[in-house]
Amino acid sequence: MAVENRAARAAVPAYANRVMILACVAAFVLKLPPERFAFVPAYFFGTVDLAGPLPTLALWRGLFGHPLIHADPAHLVSNMLALWLLGDAVENALGHGRYLALFLAGTIVGALSEGWLAVDRMAPLIGASGAICALMGAFLWVRPRARIWALPFLRLPVLWIVGAFAALNVAMVLFPPPADSPLAEVGWGAHAGGILAGLSLTPLIARLGR
């Protein structure tokens, strides 16, 4: 596979990924207001009472800014650990520009997928999960034979782990949890859209600039 062969030839230091991690941490420490940077699907798709898309600063700020915002320390730490593990490998294989292109694509596709599938389009979306899931899909291209620690004593093929995670997200999209469940607060649509973006776009992005 071309992407895997490039990864084997030369590894690029993951400067861009580290910058994204620092930006997310800085946004959390500085307490950037979620109401300003969250992506609100209704601004793009509209509702019964609201036309869309609305060409306003709030729409674009939310579409591109929501990956920086995290709800609490657990949300931030879990996302940054995933971003560190996945993003470094993808950037090592693809290079800085292609990594950023994929991160941006996952951000946009994840947000629009969540908005399109959302039951409540006024519910704001925050967090870098869409972009991280795109990197997860890309990881299958650049490290297809990798094994990941699923438990302290068990390593599983990355294909199994990503496949199970993707299946869980599809199930949650098809059968949404009750509105009062904590699971309803998870951006399942963003995850599914991000994985799909990573799987489908990585071979195309990898050829850019060849």
Side-chain angles (χ1 to χ4, degrees):
M1 192 66 64
V3 176
E4 184 183 359
N5 290 340
R6 176 179 170 82
R9 286 197 301 269
V12 177
Y15 300 134
N17 191 50
R18 304 301 170 84
V19 169
M20 296 307 303
I21 292 173
L22 289 174
C24 291
V25 172
F28 187 81
V29 172
L30 295 174
K31 298 181 179 179
L32 295 187
E35 63 273 10
R36 287 181 56 81
F37 290 91
F39 175 68
V40 180
Y43 294 168
F44 189 90
F45 293 96
T47 64
V48 175
D49 303 316
L50 183 66
L54 299 177
T56 64
L57 177 60
L59 168 63
W60 304 113
R61 184 174 58 223
L63 182 60
F64 296 107
H66 74 271
L68 299 174
I69 308 301
H70 292 81
D72 51 49
H75 189 203
L76 176 70
V77 170
S78 60
N79 268 5
M80 293 307 99
L81 283 174
L83 184 55
W84 174 46
L85 293 171
L86 297 169
D88 275 18
V90 173
E91 187 177 356
N92 289 160
L94 300 183
H96 313 308
R98 296 181 182 91
Y99 160 85
L100 289 173
L102 189 61
F103 189 97
L104 182 61
T107 294
I108 295 172
V109 174
L112 297 184
S113 299
E114 176 68 20
W116 181 52
L117 296 167
V119 176
D120 178 11
R121 287 183 172 171
M122 288 302 297
L125 173 68
I126 59 172
S129 298
I132 291 170
C133 286
L135 298 175
M136 185 182 296
F139 194 90
L140 289 179
W141 286 103
V142 303
R143 298 282 183 84
R145 297 179 180 84
R147 288 176 172 266
I148 296 178
W149 290 104
L151 295 171
F153 52 86
L154 179 64
R155 294 177 68 192
L156 295 176
V158 65
L159 180 61
W160 293 13
I161 295 176
V162 174
F165 183 72
L168 171 64
N169 281 276
V170 171
M172 288 296 180
V173 168
L174 295 176
F175 307 102
D180 58 350
S181 168
L183 294 177
E185 300 178 3
V186 178
W188 303 107
H191 295 175
I195 292 174
L196 181 60
L199 288 173
S200 59
L201 295 178
T202 298
L204 300 177
I205 291 175
R207 295 189 182 98
L208 294 176
R210 290 287 178 85

